[in-house]
Amino acid sequence: MGLLSDPHCRRALSRLVLRLNTPLCALSYVMGLGWFLALAFQPLAPRTYMSENAMGSTMVEEQFLFGERALSYAREFAGHKKKAGGMPVAWLEKTMWSLGLEVHRQPFARTLPFPDETRERYMVKGTNVYGILRAPRAASTESLVLSVPCTEGPHNNQAVGLMLALAAYFRGQIYWAKDIIFLVNEHDLLGMEAWLEAYHDVNVTGEVRSSGTLGRAGAIQAAISLELSSDVVTSFDVAVEGLNGQLPNLDLLNLFHAFCQKNGLLCTIQGKLPRSDWDSLPAYAHSLQTLLLMVLAQASGRPRGDHGLFLRYRIEAITLRGINSFRQYKYDMTTVGKTLEGMFRKLNNLLERLHQSYFFYLLPSLSRFVSIGIYMPAFGFLLLVLILKISFLGGREAGEGQAAPSGPGMDSRPGLLALVPPLLICQAAGLALYCLPVLGQRVATQHFPVSEAEAVVLTAIAIYVAGMALPHSTHRVLAGAGSDRGWMTLKLLALLYLALQLGCLALLNFSLGFLLAATMVPAAAAVQPNGPRVLLAVLLVLATPAATLLLGIFLQRELVEAPAAAGEGWQLFLAAVGEGLLQHHLYGALPFPFLALCAYPAWLLLWNVLFWK
Amino acid sequence: MAAPLVLVVLVAVTVRAVLYRSSLAAFISERVEVASPLNAWKRVVEGLALLDLGVSPYSGAIFHETPLIIYLFHFLIEYAEFVFMVSALGNLWSFSLVQFKKQKFLIELDKYAPDVAELIQTPMEMHYIPLKVALFYLLNPYTVMSCVAKSTCAINNTVIAFFILATIKGSAFLSAVFLALATYQSLYPLTLFAPALLYLLQRQFIPIKLKSKSFWLYTMQYTALYLCSLVVIICLSFFLLNSWDFIPSVYGFILSVPDLTPNIGLFWYFFAEMFEHFSLFFICVFQINVFFYTIPLAIKLKEHPVFFMFVQIAIISIFKSYPTVGDIALYMAFLPVWSHLYRFLRNIFILSCVLVVCSLLFPVLWHLWIYAGSANSNFYYAITLTFNIGQILLISDYFYAFLRREYYLTHGLHLTRQDGTEAMLVLK
C-alpha cells in the first residue's frame, strides 16, 4: 500500500515505467523466452517420484504367463473381425462371457456436423462392448478401466488379445478390491465419448444417440488405453495429453515408468528415448525437443489417444502405445502383460483418488518434470510486457488528461463512445468466424465445386482473411475521431483484452497460452499507426493465430525429424483447421472457439490500431 | 434526458429477455458468484413447494428467505421473470428521481477558498448523474447476471434503492419503513440507519450536538418510526406462517454462517479451515467487523451523509456473510455520483483492472477446481481474496479522494509549503 499511496514513490515508479518502457518490455520478453528455454535444462527439472502412499511402498509380484494365449486370442479376433467386416460384437460377447465377465453392449450413432475426410466418416454407427470383472470382496463402488480401441484394418488385434488374456487371468485372482471394466470401443474417440456419456448418464456434447448402458461399476478411479499392433514390441510410447491439454495426475505416469523400469521395458514419451547424460549440449537439445513436442501437443488441445476424454470426467488416464521398430531387443506379450498386471494391482491398492502428485506439469523427459511453479514465470514475463505497455498507455492518458485542464471529463467521453463500433465489429467478425463455416456449408457446396469438408475449411479461411479488410469499413463508422488519443485508447483496450484472455487461457492450457503469448505479445506491444507501417503489418500478420498454427505445424514436423515441404505443410494446415472445428463440435474442444471468439477479435483490434487514420 | 433513458431501459430489458430465453440462464443461475444460499431462486422454488404441501418452508435446511418474499412469489410465481425485470426498473426509477444534491454547498458556499470553482460540479454535470447511475446499474454485467439468475438479491437492492430515494426526498416516515424492510430482508442494512438519520437531520437544519434538545427529539422520532415498522413487519410475518421459525432460519443463518459453500466473500474458506471450537469467537469477530465501521465513519463523515451511505453499502457488500455480485452492483451504481472525485482518485485504473481480471478468473478457477479437479480450493480463495482486496482498496481510494477534495475546498487548490514550493497531501 505504501508503494501506491506515497506520492514520491509513485512518481518514481511511474517515471521509471514511462521512461524505460521499451527496454523493460524487451528485457521482459527475452526473460520470458529464456526462462522457457531453461526449463529443459535438467538441473532445473527435478526427478519424478511417487507421491501416492498406497502405490509406492510395496512392489507387487507379477505372475502373468499367458502371452501365447493373448496371441491366439488376437488371431481369433482378427479372423472374426475380417469376417464381420467391422467389430465382431457377437464373438466378443461370447468370449468375454465364457471368461466369466458380466458383458454389456452399447450401440451408438452420431452424425458429424460435416464429413471428416481424414478418417472418411460422416454418419457413424457403432457398438461398444464391455465386460465387467466384479471384485469378489467389494461392493462395486469403484472401478478401473482397461480400454482398447477396435480400429479398422489389421491394427490393434494384439491389444484386444492381450486384454482378453489379462481378463482371463485377473478373473482367477482373489485380491481385487475394485471392479475392472474391459472395454472395446469402436470408432475411437466417438465411441469413447458415447460410452463415457452413457456411463455417467450425462449429455455433454449433444447429439450422440446411444442406448444407455446397463452395467455400471461405480466411480472409475483410473483408466488405461492400450494400442498394440504387433506380436512383439521394442518399446512403449506413453501419451498423456488429453482434451484441451488436460493432463492426468503425474503419479499414474510414475507408476507406468516404475513398472517399465522393473520389467526392463524401454519406454518413450513423445517418441523420444531418454538419454542417460544431461550435461552435454546434445542432451539439452534432446530434452528441449521433447519439451517442445509436449507443448505443441498440449497446445493443439486434441486428445493424443483414447484416454483423452476420460480426464474430463475426473478419471486419471493414459494411453500406452506399443512400438515395433528396428531394434535388437524385443519384448513378448508376457512381459507387456506383466507390466499391465503390475499397474492394475497397484491401482487396485488405491485408497482414494489419485490426487497427491502434480496435475500441472511439463515433461522434458519421462523421468523429469517441470511443475507449474517453475514454468509459470516464463508466461508471467511475457504477460508483464503487456502490463508494462498498458500502464505506459494508461499513464500517458492520465498525464494528457491532467495537462489539458479545460474540461477533461467532457473531452474523454466521445473518445470512448467512438471506440464502441470497432469493438463491436471485431467481435462480430469473430462470431461470424465461429458460426458461419458450419452453418453455411450447404450454400457453399451449391455455389462452388468443393466438397462439404473443404467448404467448411475454406469458408473459415475466407472469413479470417476478409476480417483484415475491416479497418477500412470501421473508419467509415468512426466520424472525426482521428486523434492520437483515439488510437492509444483503442490500443489500450486491445492490450487489456489480450492480456485478460491470455491470462485466463494460461491457467486452463498453459501451452496454448504460452505459444500465443510468445507470438502475439511483441507485435501487440509494438503496433502503432505512425511507425514503419509495412514492417509492423508484416510483424502483425506473422503474429496472427493462423500463422502461429502454420508455424506450429512446421515446427512439429521438424522436431519429429520428418520436415514438411511447403505444399505438404499447407495441406496439413487445412486438415488441422478442419480437425479443430470437428473436435470442437464433437467433443467440445476449446481451441477453435477461443481463437475465433477471443484471440482473433483481439488481433483485429490491433490491426485496426495499425491502420488508424 | 428522457430519450437516452428510454434507450437504456430498452437495451436493458432486451438483454435480460434474451438471456432469460437462452441456455445461458441455467448456467448463470448455478454460479456460486451469482446465487448464494440466501437468495438462490432454486431455494425459493423449494420453499414454495413446501408451502404448497402445507409444510413449513423452514422445516428443511434449504430455504432462507423471509416470509414476505415467499408470499410475494406465492402469488407471482408465474410472473417471476417480470418481477425481477420490474425490480430492476424500480431501481432505475428511484435512481433517476434521486437528485444527489450537495446540500452542504448551499449552506456553506461562502466558506470555501476562492480558487476552487473548478472543483464544484456545475448544474449541467449534476443533471446527467441520474442517467449515468441508471446506466451503471442496469447495464452492469453483475446486475444483469443477478437478474437473469433470478436471485432475490435484486429485490433487496430495490428496497434499498427506495430507501435511499425516500431519505433523499426527506420523507422520514417512508425512509424508516423502507429501512425496516431492508433490515428485515437481509439484516445488514441496519447500519444504514446512521447515515439516514444524519441526512434527515441535516435536511431539517438540526445541528448534530449531543446537548441540543431538538437533535435528541428528532433522533427519538426516527428511531421510533423505524422500530415500529420493523415490529409490524415481523409480526406480519409471524401471522402469515403462524410460527417464529423464520427468525433462526433467516437471521440465525445470516449471523452464524453454517453454509460454507464457496462464494465471493471471505467467510467460507476461513471457517471451513478452522477448528470447530474457535469458530464461535471468530464468527463474532467477523460479524462485528461488518457493523463496526459505522462508528468511525459516522464521526468522520457526519457532514456528508450521502457519501457515508455509499461507503456503508459498499462495506456491507464486501464483508457480509453471503455476498453475491448483485450486492456489488448496488454500490457500483453509485460510483458515477462521485465522478467529481475522479481527479483525486489514484489507483482507479489498476483497481478496475483487478476487479475485471478477478471476475473473469472466478469461473476459470472454479472450472479447474470443481470440474477438472486439477486445482484446489486455495486457487479459488486466492482470487476471492484478491477481489475483496481490490474492492476495499477501491472504497478507500474513494474515501481518501473525498477527504482530499474536502481539504482542498476549504484550504484552496494550490497549497504552498512554508518555503513557498507547492505542497502535496500525503496519507500516512
Side-chain angles (χ1 to χ4, degrees), chain A residues 347-367:
Chain A
L347 288 170
N348 182 48
N349 289 344
L350 276 182
L351 295 176
E352 45 189 334
R353 275 175 194 284
L354 285 169
H355 67 281
Q356 300 272 11
S357 194
Y358 294 84
F359 283 97
F360 298 102
Y361 51 86
L362 294 174
L363 297 166
S365 80
L366 201 49
S367 56

Side-chain angles (χ1 to χ4, degrees), chain A residues 447-461:
Chain A
H447 290 83
F448 299 100
V450 286
S451 75
E452 272 142 338
E454 280 172 337
V456 171
V457 174
L458 293 178
T459 319
I461 293 174

Side-chain angles (χ1 to χ4, degrees), chain B residues 103-146:
Chain B
Q103 301 173 5
K104 196 161 166 267
F105 290 171
L106 308 173
I107 308 167
E108 336 184 320
L109 196 56
D110 49 339
K111 281 192 201 163
Y112 290 157
D115 58 346
V116 293
E118 58 180 286
L119 288 186
I120 296 171
Q121 284 182 309
T122 60
M124 184 63 186
E125 286 169 36
M126 298 284 279
H127 183 69
Y128 280 109
I129 283 181
L131 178 68
K132 284 188 204 160
V133 171
L135 196 80
F136 252 63
Y137 186 76
L138 279 187
L139 297 183
N140 189 336
Y142 292 154
T143 327
V144 174
M145 285 204 294
S146 137

